[in-house]
Amino acid sequence: MKSKIRSILIFAVRILPVSLCAALIILYFLFGRNIDVQTVLSYTPVSRPLAAAFLIVLYALKSMSIFFPIVILYFAGGFIFPTWVAILVNTAGAAVALAVAYGVGRISGGSLVEKFEDKYPKVADILSAWSANPTFAAFFLRIISCLPGDAVSMLLGARKMPFGKYITGSILGYLPGLIASTLVGASITDPSSPMFLVSVSITVLISAGSMLFYYLWKRKRN
């Protein structure tokens, strides 16, 4: 009897994060598809410390919605805070989002692995190629911006990639796009400013460069 109850509890713990993710995804498609920078700003506290805490909570929630674009939070952080503070807050928020999604995958276990790898064969391909270097594998998966970040995090958690190597590689892969998007947010009220134009150009170049990077790597590997 005790073993049966224990099995039920383990199953409930494993299914809870996935259920929460599914609920957040449904809520996003029902009510949140019009969320933009202005919406985030309208709910942000005036106090800077509270605003930072609020933004980091949004990062944590974002990590379980999968479809909500993280770039909106980058922009919001850049608009609210001075540039260097914004980069630090956005980096902290991204780290929280990475940790939460990793934890969801780790708790849910191997049942996610086959599902995600069937849906995203690129991820499985990269992981098999760089299995001996988890930090670079995590970095490579982040620098390729066409892959869904939260799904990748859950998969790496389910695969039990060492957390330290996972978070280090992931943050390093996120930083170029994070910094460029934060600068966009800092200058978003003046689209004609050099800072805005340069940061938007850098963001576009990072996206194009990441796809080219993957294409060349894939071609060389083949």
Side-chain angles (χ1 to χ4, degrees):
M1 181 68 179
K2 286 184 178 180
S3 61
K4 187 175 181 181
I5 293 173
R6 185 171 178 272
S7 299
I8 292 171
L9 288 174
I10 291 172
F11 175 76
V13 169
R14 285 184 172 179
I15 202 69
L16 181 61
V18 178
S19 302
L20 183 57
C21 289
L24 288 172
I25 290 168
I26 291 169
L27 287 173
Y28 172 73
F29 277 101
L30 288 177
F31 305 108
R33 299 188 73 175
N34 295 322
I35 293 176
D36 54 17
V37 178
Q38 191 58 47
T39 305
V40 173
L41 294 176
S42 66
Y43 289 100
T44 303
V46 176
S47 164
R48 289 279 174 82
L50 290 178
F54 174 73
L55 205 59
I56 288 173
V57 169
L58 290 184
Y59 273 103
L61 293 174
K62 173 263 169 298
S63 68
M64 292 185 287
S65 69
I66 298 178
F67 296 100
F68 182 76
I70 197 170
V71 72
I72 288 176
L73 299 180
Y74 291 162
F75 290 163
F79 184 86
I80 296 167
F81 304 102
T83 303
W84 288 107
V85 176
I87 290 172
L88 290 175
V89 170
N90 281 341
T91 302
V96 168
L98 288 165
V100 170
Y102 175 94
V104 170
R106 187 73 182 248
I107 292 170
S108 299
S111 59
L112 286 177
V113 173
E114 187 176 344
K115 180 180 178 181
F116 277 133
E117 289 189 350
D118 286 345
K119 189 170 184 180
Y120 306 111
K122 291 179 183 178
V123 178
D125 191 29
I126 292 167
L127 288 175
S128 64
W130 296 103
S131 57
N133 192 339
T135 302
F136 187 80
F139 168 81
F140 196 53
L141 286 166
R142 302 305 176 183
I143 208 72
I144 301 171
S145 57
C146 58
L147 295 173
D150 298 318
V152 169
S153 297
M154 291 178 190
L155 174 58
L156 298 185
R159 272 177 160 255
K160 295 181 171 58
M161 176 181 281
F163 181 76
K165 295 179 179 181
Y166 156 81
I167 200 75
T168 301
S170 296
I171 289 293
L172 290 174
Y174 269 163
L175 271 179
L178 183 153
I179 292 171
S181 298
T182 301
L183 294 177
V184 171
S187 55
I188 201 167
T189 55
D190 185 9
S192 61
S193 69
M195 184 179 179
F196 181 85
L197 296 174
V198 170
S199 52
V200 167
S201 300
I202 291 172
T203 303
V204 172
L205 287 173
I206 288 171
S207 297
S210 70
M211 289 185 280
L212 179 62
F213 185 37
Y214 177 76
Y215 170 76
L216 293 175
W217 174 80
K218 183 76 173 176
R219 184 177 177 182
K220 183 178 179 181
R221 185 162 184 248
N222 288 340

